[in-house]
Amino acid sequence: MSDHYDLKKLKMILPILARTTGGYATITDSEGRRLCTVDWNGTEIEELNDEIYDLAKDAAQQARSLIGVSQIVDQADAWALPIGEYVLACSNVERLKREQKFQDALIKALPMIAQVAGGEAVIFNELGERLLSYYSNGTERHQLKGQVSKLACQAMVSREPVVGKSFSVNGAMAVRIPITEKIGFGFNNEKATRQHQKLYDEVKKFQSAHYCFEDIIGESEILAKTKSMAKFVADGVSSILIYGETGTGKELFAQSVHNASERRYQPFVALNCGALPASLIESNLFGYEEGAFTGAKKGGSPGAFEQANGGTIFLDEISEMELSLQTKLLRVLQEREIVRVGGFKVKKIDVRVIASTNKELNDLIADGKFRQDLFYRLNVVQLKIPSLKERVGDIVLLAMYFIQKYALSLGKPIEDIDIGTLKILQNYSWPGNVRELQNCIESAMNMVREEPMLLPEHLPLYLRQGQKALKESVVVEIGNEGLNLKEALSGVEKLIIQKALEMAKYKKVYAARILGISTATLWRKLTDYGMEREQM
């Protein structure tokens, strides 16, 4: 069979190929030299004759068809096919131009789409990377540009629309639609979600439990497992004991459990067992009758258990409760009835008990400071809240959440965080956990002037230097006369507290922040060590 082809006949089919493929069509010799090139209108472009087309040359040398790029228009696709001693080649320039026109029109319409849809509208590339986005009010959004959405990438790969959670707005849903091979389009229901949340917040004002599981920020696996378990047991009646370091959000979980249960329309009453003196905790827990003690109200007063009847009572820092009160609490949990201080009348109650502690209760039991039978009664269901250092990946989400929160309340036009700032936050140990991070961001936002993002210099000094200075400045000397671990640990703690007070210029709030503990806990430790008078 002869490989000879008639050049004249091959040239006649070029206009058909060009129109069909939507681009240029050309025929070259075996060296890739253009013999004839026509555009999609069938017009010959003589000035291209004798130019070397590398793709055609490679196809001839390899004796096989190849796919590559056009040498006439950037980013256009092309193919080359050897035909005997010649090579036919075509590109999709016209299709590329049509896609570009469509993309330009979509970009122009994007702010209008965002306003009509009532949510953020986004254009992304084949990798799911944000190229351009607009708020529902029609203004461009800059801070998330370049971020990659897994669901957007999934839509581009599958060539099918994908519906899922919004990448940028907590609680909102978004749809991602592939438009061409290069770009996709998406939008969410941000405006409707915010309106719904505002209405929900108004409803929550009339409840004592303001938070739900949706308010717990984080996507780490350990937090997701904890939330999943808490949701699973929410509808039960058994007591729950929540373990967690200071500032991890124990009450946040307690309120979320209440609001996810059938008791959500009933009262939620919280009592901090470590914030009140022992003389007041009993009357606050169980109530009192008129004349029970000096200053008692006329007619008496109901306690937390009566107030929470039908709902949930949250006993924070249960480890701080005195043994005498633990005995009375145990009786309440066993009998489901209370007697007011100074009274004799027994009142039946229906209350679910959720308690929390940042201490290991088994150690307190061993030291005789906590009743073992009360522990068993409280520890029916146990929840362990992870510390922030156990979920470092959530720091950026929490930081952005608090930035947006304080940007609104403080009137600071800032929506992003500098990479250097983020590294400092991620490398810090966060002994005060989420509460400390929140305080840190609030402090930093107060330092912002006209900067477009949160910078390292905005962060509190203790975060950049304080902890290092604190660790390096505390030196403990141990003599040879014998060791007492409890006394040694107390001595170290007292030295650390003293150093933190000096660094904070004896301002208790800042000293507590340096130490990663609450102000109430700092005051209690100052009292325990007899240091409160020294700091007056």
Side-chain angles (χ1 to χ4, degrees):
M1 181 177 178
S2 175
D3 287 337
H4 178 73
Y5 288 84
D6 189 329
L7 179 61
K8 186 177 180 180
K9 290 182 178 180
L10 289 176
K11 288 182 177 180
M12 290 176 61
I13 67 172
L14 288 182
I16 300 173
L17 286 174
R19 182 174 291 274
T20 303
T21 57
Y24 292 94
T26 188
I27 187 168
T28 74
D29 60 19
S30 58
E31 297 299 319
R33 184 176 291 102
R34 292 177 185 267
L35 304 177
C36 181
T37 301
V38 299
D39 63 17
W40 51 92
N41 292 317
T43 303
E44 184 175 356
I45 306 174
E46 295 182 355
E47 57 266 29
L48 293 178
N49 289 346
D50 294 329
E51 285 191 3
I52 300 298
Y53 188 10
D54 294 332
L55 182 65
K57 182 179 179 180
D58 292 342
Q61 291 177 349
Q62 298 178 34
R64 64 187 183 93
S65 57
L66 294 177
I67 296 176
V69 295
S70 169
Q71 282 188 188
I72 300 175
V73 177
D74 290 341
Q75 298 182 348
D77 297 324
W79 55 261
L81 175 67
I83 303 286
E85 66 267 36
Y86 303 109
V87 178
L88 281 177
C90 291
S91 65
N92 64 344
V93 174
E94 179 64 14
R95 191 183 76 179
L96 183 69
K97 287 188 175 183
R98 287 198 302 267
E99 289 182 358
Q100 187 60 51
K101 286 181 180 179
F102 179 79
Q103 182 173 328
D104 292 342
L106 183 59
I107 290 174
K108 188 176 181 180
L110 202 62
M112 292 177 278
I113 294 172
Q115 292 182 61
V116 173
E120 185 187 18
V122 182
I123 290 178
F124 48 83
N125 61 18
E126 67 273 18
L127 301 176
E129 181 183 13
R130 282 170 170 256
L131 303 178
L132 183 66
S133 65
Y134 282 86
Y135 288 106
S136 57
N137 62 5
T139 59
E140 186 176 351
R141 185 173 194 174
H142 297 283
Q143 78 276 14
L144 294 178
K145 189 174 183 180
Q147 293 286 341
V148 175
S149 166
K150 292 181 180 179
L151 293 180
C153 182
Q154 179 184 331
M156 296 301 289
V157 172
S158 65
R159 310 303 303 161
E160 293 286 341
V162 174
V163 177
K165 290 183 178 180
S166 171
F167 179 81
S168 58
V169 180
N170 187 37
M173 297 296 290
V175 59
R176 290 87 173 175
I177 307 168
I179 301 299
T180 68
E181 292 181 357
K182 300 292 184 181
I183 66 165
F185 161 68
F187 61 91
N188 62 34
N189 61 339
E190 172 186 355
K191 190 174 181 180
T193 300
R194 293 193 188 282
Q195 289 175 340
H196 176 77
Q197 186 62 44
K198 185 177 179 181
L199 177 62
Y200 183 61
D201 290 341
E202 288 296 319
V203 173
K204 289 202 296 182
K205 285 181 181 178
F206 299 99
Q207 303 178 24
S208 296
H210 305 296
Y211 299 104
C212 296
F213 287 111
E214 290 75 17
D215 297 314
I216 301 175
I217 308 299
E219 297 178 352
S220 60
E221 183 179 357
I222 188 170
L223 183 67
K225 288 181 178 178
T226 307
K227 287 172 66 174
S228 178
M229 182 179 178
K231 290 178 183 178
F232 184 74
V233 301
D235 254 338
V237 296
S238 300
S239 299
I240 298 175
L241 184 59
I242 302 177
Y243 278 88
E245 296 177 5
T246 299
T248 50
K250 296 185 288 296
E251 183 168 354
L252 196 64
F253 269 87
Q255 291 192 22
S256 299
V257 168
H258 173 78
N259 280 329
S261 72
E262 293 181 353
R263 297 173 180 261
R264 58 185 171 274
Y265 300 115
Q266 301 301 322
F268 176 91
V269 178
L271 188 69
N272 190 323
C273 301
L276 292 173
S279 57
L280 294 180
I281 291 179
E282 183 176 5
S283 59
N284 275 272
L285 272 176
F286 310 123
Y288 58 86
E289 295 291 1
E290 181 178 347
F293 50 83
T294 303
K297 288 182 181 179
K298 186 177 180 180
S301 176
F305 274 99
E306 284 185 73
Q307 294 169 6
N309 196 27
T312 305
I313 187 169
F314 175 56
L315 302 177
D316 196 11
E317 294 192 42
I318 191 69
S319 57
E320 304 300 322
M321 182 177 286
E322 289 193 351
L323 281 171
S324 59
L325 274 177
Q326 292 179 29
T327 303
K328 295 180 180 180
L329 176 59
L330 177 63
R331 184 181 182 280
V332 171
L333 297 181
Q334 289 175 335
E335 305 299 331
R336 296 291 167 177
E337 57 186 28
I338 60 102
V339 177
R340 289 187 181 184
V341 175
F344 303 96
K345 185 179 179 180
V346 175
K347 295 187 178 183
K348 287 289 184 181
I349 55 167
D350 172 25
V351 175
R352 186 184 199 178
V353 177
I354 301 178
S356 74
T357 177
N358 59 7
K359 296 181 179 179
E360 182 53 62
L361 293 186
N362 282 317
D363 292 341
L364 297 180
I365 292 171
D367 292 338
K369 294 181 179 179
F370 201 87
R371 290 182 63 108
Q372 190 172 45
D373 46 4
L374 177 59
F375 171 75
Y376 291 141
R377 181 64 65 175
L378 293 171
N379 196 45
V380 178
V381 176
Q382 184 183 119
L383 289 178
K384 175 65 170 66
I385 312 303
S387 63
L388 195 52
K389 63 186 176 184
E390 292 177 276
R391 52 188 189 106
V392 177
D394 289 339
I395 288 177
V396 62
L397 294 175
L398 288 163
M400 289 304 302
Y401 172 81
F402 293 132
I403 284 173
Q404 292 171 3
K405 175 182 177 180
Y406 292 116
L408 181 64
S409 62
L410 298 176
K412 299 295 179 80
I414 182 171
E415 294 182 340
D416 206 358
I417 186 168
D418 180 73
I419 294 177
T421 308
L422 186 58
K423 285 183 178 179
I424 293 175
L425 297 179
Q426 290 176 325
N427 290 331
Y428 182 59
S429 61
W430 298 110
N433 293 289
V434 179
R435 183 186 295 123
E436 186 185 4
L437 175 60
Q438 180 177 357
N439 291 341
C440 165
I441 297 298
E442 182 180 6
S443 173
M445 290 295 287
N446 277 280
M447 298 297 106
V448 173
R449 297 180 184 274
E450 300 296 330
E451 298 87 353
M453 61 177 61
L454 201 67
L455 302 174
E457 53 263 35
H458 296 142
L459 296 175
L461 182 63
Y462 86 88
L463 192 65
R464 292 172 283 155
Q465 301 175 352
Q467 289 294 322
K468 181 180 178 182
L470 185 62
K471 291 175 183 176
E472 293 177 349
S473 64
V474 178
V475 179
V476 181
E477 294 184 1
I478 300 176
N480 298 321
E481 63 277 4
L483 295 176
N484 183 301
L485 180 60
K486 185 175 181 180
E487 291 180 1
L489 291 175
S490 297
V492 172
E493 187 173 56
K494 186 175 179 180
L495 284 172
I496 293 175
I497 290 173
Q498 181 61 40
K499 183 61 182 178
L501 285 166
E502 292 172 2
M503 291 170 59
K505 297 181 179 179
Y506 294 94
K507 294 181 179 179
K508 307 297 186 300
V509 174
Y510 296 121
R513 200 173 287 175
I514 291 173
L515 294 165
I517 60 178
S518 66
T519 308
T521 301
L522 176 59
W523 272 110
R524 188 168 63 251
K525 290 182 180 295
L526 290 175
T527 303
D528 291 343
Y529 293 128
M531 299 171 66
E532 74 280 3
R533 293 187 181 276
E534 300 174 19
Q535 317 307 328
M536 295 297 288

